[in-house]
Amino acid sequence: MVFGYNCVKDGVEKGQIGLVLLASDLSEKSTERMTLFLDSKNVEYMTIEEEMIDISNCAGKYSGILGVKNREMALRLKEIKEDCSGRNSSYDKIQSI
């Protein structure tokens, strides 16, 4: 997992990132800049319910942009998102991993 715009961008350019997660409170400017870049590189991304402070509390780094390097984890997170579509929270599924 890599954190922050520059690290994620570098990882995408090197073909190391399978999925990008965007915090729910990421600024519009950062979201637009990152999503335009990811679209141009054909890399999937999703906005998660968690805010940057939640990510910081869990991962120890304050960031709103996370790059998932592990392909299996990226695939599993995509599956969880699809399974949780229409639900209020993805926590039940994520906690079962």
Side-chain angles (χ1 to χ4, degrees):
M1 185 89 61
V2 295
F3 300 87
Y5 179 85
N6 290 330
C7 292
V8 170
K9 185 177 178 190
D10 289 345
V12 167
E13 289 175 343
K14 293 176 182 175
Q16 299 173 336
I17 304 295
L19 176 68
V20 175
L21 306 175
L22 306 172
S24 62
D25 62 340
L26 187 65
S27 74
E28 286 183 41
K29 182 179 178 181
S30 293
T31 299
E32 182 178 346
R33 187 170 71 156
M34 180 53 74
T35 56
L36 286 172
F37 171 72
L38 295 171
D39 287 341
S40 74
K41 298 294 184 180
N42 203 27
V43 173
E44 289 187 65
Y45 57 88
M46 68 174 100
T47 299
I48 58 176
E49 295 176 10
E50 287 67 33
E51 296 179 350
M52 289 187 278
I53 191 68
D54 301 320
I55 295 165
S56 174
N57 290 336
C58 180
K61 294 194 178 208
Y62 190 81
S63 181
I65 302 173
L66 295 83
V68 180
K69 292 175 87 172
N70 182 293
R71 299 285 181 201
E72 290 79 26
M73 178 178 265
L75 289 172
R76 183 65 182 127
L77 288 171
K78 291 176 200 176
E79 289 173 2
I80 290 169
K81 181 183 179 199
E82 290 173 14
D83 289 348
C84 295
S85 293
R87 293 178 60 182
N88 290 335
S89 174
S90 58
Y91 288 112
D92 294 337
K93 290 281 185 180
I94 290 172
Q95 288 176 350
S96 68
I97 294 177

